[in-house]
């Protein structure tokens, strides 16, 4: 495996998987995220499963993968640490949504009004200032290591 700069993935609109601990075993949640000032911010909500588990035990892992079989790309970034659950930030929430949905005038109004309610007081932000970050570039699975990305 070849390491790479994690920012190659952290600023892109990729899905992350948040792994948390539950009394019956690990749990995994797909999440949208934003990387700001060396902190990974993810959306959550009061009463949500991931938020509740992190409030009981803040240890977690986040995995972000860029896989493009046709192009022969396989990049993996892992972050580990203890997360905190923070009050909502409408400004950060909007920046996160812009990352995935583009400019606000393009947003699906139904989605914003019914699902991603920016000013909903039950919103929470999951904050992970990772204690460790690692990357693996396995893009040579098609070409061999001499031709691996980048």
């Amino acid at each position: 495996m070849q390491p790479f700069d994690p920012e190659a993935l952290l600023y892109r609109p990729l899905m992350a998987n948040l792994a948390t601990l539950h009394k019956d075993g690990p749990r995994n949640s797909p999440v949208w995220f934003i990387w700001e000032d060396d902190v990974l911010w993810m959306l959550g909500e009061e009463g949500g499963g991931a938020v509740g588990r992190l409030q009981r035990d803040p240890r977690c892992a986040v995995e972000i993968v860029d896989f493009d079989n046709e192009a022969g790309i396989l990049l993996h970034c892992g972050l580990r640490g203890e997360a905190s659950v923070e009050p909502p930030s409408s400004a950060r929430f909007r920046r996160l949504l812009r990352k995935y949905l583009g400019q606000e005038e393009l947003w699906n109004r139904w989605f914003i009004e019914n699902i991603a309610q920016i000013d909903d007081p039950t919103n929470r932000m999951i904050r992970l200032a990772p204690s460790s970050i690692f990357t693996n570039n396995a893009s040579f699975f098609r070409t061999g290591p001499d031709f691996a990305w980048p």
Side-chain angles (χ1 to χ4, degrees), residues 31-99:
V31 293
W32 286 354
F33 66 91
I34 191 167
W35 178 253
E36 295 182 334
D37 300 321
D38 298 327
V39 172
L40 193 73
W41 294 92
M42 298 159 279
L43 299 179
E45 66 179 312
E46 186 177 295
V51 165
R53 289 188 296 275
L54 288 168
Q55 288 172 325
R56 286 186 295 280
D57 188 335
R59 295 177 295 164
C60 66
V62 174
E63 307 298 324
I64 303 163
V65 175
D66 180 11
F67 177 64
D68 183 336
N69 190 27
E70 215 171 287
I73 295 172
L74 178 51
L75 302 173
H76 168 241
C77 177
L79 303 94
R80 307 285 185 268
E82 293 189 1
S84 60
V85 176
E86 306 289 334
S89 163
S90 294
R92 183 172 287 118
F93 196 160
R94 285 180 187 282
R95 290 191 302 274
L96 190 152
L97 289 177
R98 276 194 298 273
K99 175 182 176 181

Side-chain angles (χ1 to χ4, degrees), residues 10 22 33 41 45 49 58 95 106 111 115 119 121 134 140:
L10 291 170
H22 183 273
F33 66 91
W41 294 92
E45 66 179 312
R95 290 191 302 274
L106 302 175
F111 177 74
I115 306 298
D119 295 314
F134 68 90
F140 53 82

